[in-house]
């Protein structure tokens, strides 16, 4: 049995994204898809004393690009690190997690969104001891058809079970998975416990960095598939 998930890369995603990675044997970054503006590809939410705030990578106005073709300069990196430092330096595990993140923001230079997203995702997986294989969609042949493409990638990987986020129910044809002999499982994001969090009312839907800064190596206690 091999479990596979296929999902667009996100910038410093929320904890549910990493639970999905941990729940499968191979996680494929689906960055051959169209870039979508005002989405999670280049931004995420943090908590501040003034409330929830977007942390966004500037990528220009052109949305007629695949995610893998989105370029940017590296001027955003020190700005983002300064913002994270200002809002999380009081968190219990800030110093420990800063050792992981600060080099990514201040020592490396990214000019491609897919590259940046993958590097952050891999660093966080390493911190959480997630051993899942991460690959890119362009490592595989991509055929036409939304569901057909997903099932074909699964077949190429030797996957026997496909794990999908619930939002895909709007377009995934379950019969095609059944006809190909691939089990289709819908991932459940409900039921997360609250954890110690700065700045007022608890909020689940923020970047996983919020959890890491506040809980450090205890973060898996507040997740589902990360051990």
């Amino acid at each position: 049995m091999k479990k596979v998930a296929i999902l667009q890369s996100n910038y410093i995603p929320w904890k549910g994204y990493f639970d999905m990675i941990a729940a499968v044997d191979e996680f494929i970054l689906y960055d051959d898809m169209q870039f979508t503006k005002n989405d999670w590809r280049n931004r995420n939410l943090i908590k501040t004393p003034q409330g929830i705030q977007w942390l966004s990578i500037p990528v220009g106005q052109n949305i007629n690009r695949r995610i893998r073709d989105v370029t940017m300069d590296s001027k955003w990196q020190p700005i983002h690190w300064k913002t994270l430092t200002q809002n999380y330096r009081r968190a219990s595990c800030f110093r420990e997690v800063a050792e992981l993140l600060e080099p990514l923001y201040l020592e490396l230079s990214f000019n491609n969104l897919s590259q940046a997203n993958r590097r952050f995702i891999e660093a966080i997986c390493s911190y959480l001891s997630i051993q899942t294989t991460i690959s890119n969609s362009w490592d595989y042949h991509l055929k036409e058809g939304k569901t057909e493409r997903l099932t074909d990638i699964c077949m190429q990987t030797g996957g026997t079970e496909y794990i999908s986020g619930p939002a895909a129910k709007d377009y995934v044809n379950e019969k095609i998975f059944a006809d190909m002999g691939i089990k289709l499982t819908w991932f459940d994001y409900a039921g997360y416990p609250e954890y110690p969090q700065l700045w007022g009312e608890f909020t689940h839907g923020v970047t996983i960095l919020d959890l890491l800064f506040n809980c450090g190596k205890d973060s898996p206690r507040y997740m589902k598939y990360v051990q």
Side-chain angles (χ1 to χ4, degrees):
M1 293 287 290
K2 180 178 180 179
K3 297 181 180 181
V4 177
I6 305 170
L7 202 62
Q8 294 96 324
S9 72
N10 291 353
Y11 173 53
I12 51 173
W14 81 302
K15 59 196 173 191
Y17 191 101
F18 289 92
D19 261 329
M20 181 177 281
I21 296 176
V24 300
D25 301 296
E26 183 171 353
F27 186 85
I28 300 169
L29 296 168
Y30 199 22
D31 283 5
D32 281 288
M33 293 292 287
Q34 167 89 19
F35 175 74
T36 46
K37 190 177 180 182
N38 298 327
D39 214 331
W40 302 101
R41 311 301 154 246
N42 66 310
R43 65 177 190 166
N44 223 296
L45 292 166
I46 63 171
K47 289 198 75 180
T48 80
Q50 292 75 41
I52 300 297
Q53 175 183 315
W54 286 106
L55 201 58
S56 302
I57 301 174
V59 295
Q61 298 301 311
N62 179 18
I63 63 169
N64 296 314
R65 300 171 283 179
R66 297 175 299 178
I67 301 165
R68 64 182 290 192
D69 297 327
V70 174
T71 58
M72 69 279 186
D73 61 43
S74 58
K75 294 178 181 178
W76 61 273
Q77 292 176 228
I79 296 171
H80 280 206
W81 182 242
K82 181 179 179 181
T83 301
L84 289 168
T85 300
Q86 288 173 336
N87 290 288
Y88 287 104
R89 62 177 180 265
R90 298 182 186 177
S92 299
C93 302
F94 175 79
R95 186 170 298 180
E96 172 190 317
V97 177
E99 292 180 5
L100 168 76
L101 295 173
E102 188 173 27
L104 298 181
Y105 282 105
L106 301 185
E107 296 177 15
L108 298 183
S109 180
F110 301 108
N111 57 16
N112 175 276
L113 182 62
S114 290
Q115 175 198 34
N117 285 350
R118 177 166 178 160
R119 188 66 187 84
F120 277 91
I121 288 168
E122 288 177 334
I124 294 166
C125 282
S126 177
Y127 181 81
L128 293 171
S129 298
I130 297 173
Q131 303 295 320
T132 300
T133 297
I134 297 178
S135 53
N136 293 311
S137 54
W138 54 88
D139 296 333
Y140 300 97
H141 171 74
L142 303 179
K143 67 185 300 183
E144 294 300 317
K146 287 184 177 180
T147 302
E148 290 85 353
R149 178 177 288 188
L150 299 176
T151 54
D152 191 59
I153 293 174
C154 283
M155 294 296 289
Q156 291 179 64
T157 66
T160 55
E161 182 176 357
Y162 178 66
I163 311 295
S164 176
K169 288 182 179 180
D170 294 339
Y171 67 84
V172 164
N173 185 333
E174 298 188 30
K175 184 177 184 300
I176 295 176
F177 276 93
D179 290 345
M180 297 294 287
I182 300 170
K183 181 181 179 182
L184 175 61
T185 300
W186 299 106
F187 200 76
D188 184 6
Y189 291 119
Y192 278 107
E194 295 184 3
Y195 57 87
Q197 192 178 62
L198 297 175
W199 315 128
E201 185 176 352
F202 187 87
T203 304
H204 281 290
V206 292
T207 171
I208 194 171
L209 300 189
D210 183 271
L211 172 60
L212 300 185
F213 284 137
N214 284 297
C215 299
K217 290 296 186 180
D218 281 340
S219 296
R221 292 176 53 197
Y222 304 96
M223 301 177 72
K224 295 182 177 182
Y225 289 89
V226 181
Q227 302 300 317

Short mmCIF file of all heavy atoms in Angstrom, two decimals, residues 58 84 149:
data_model
loop_
_atom_site.label_atom_id
_atom_site.label_comp_id
_atom_site.label_asym_id
_atom_site.label_seq_id
_atom_site.Cartn_x
_atom_site.Cartn_y
_atom_site.Cartn_z
N PRO A 58 5.34 39.46 -2.48
CA PRO A 58 4.92 40.20 -3.68
C PRO A 58 5.35 39.47 -4.94
O PRO A 58 6.53 39.15 -5.11
CB PRO A 58 5.63 41.54 -3.53
CG PRO A 58 6.80 41.27 -2.64
CD PRO A 58 6.41 40.15 -1.73
N LEU A 84 7.84 38.66 11.60
CA LEU A 84 7.69 37.48 12.46
C LEU A 84 8.37 37.70 13.81
O LEU A 84 7.82 37.35 14.86
CB LEU A 84 8.29 36.26 11.77
CG LEU A 84 7.50 35.71 10.57
CD1 LEU A 84 8.33 34.70 9.80
CD2 LEU A 84 6.18 35.08 11.04
N ARG A 149 -5.65 13.25 -14.65
CA ARG A 149 -4.26 13.60 -14.37
C ARG A 149 -3.85 13.10 -12.99
O ARG A 149 -2.76 12.56 -12.81
CB ARG A 149 -4.07 15.11 -14.47
CG ARG A 149 -2.66 15.58 -14.16
CD ARG A 149 -2.48 17.06 -14.33
NE ARG A 149 -2.48 17.44 -15.73
CZ ARG A 149 -2.20 18.67 -16.17
NH1 ARG A 149 -1.91 19.62 -15.30
NH2 ARG A 149 -2.20 18.93 -17.45
#
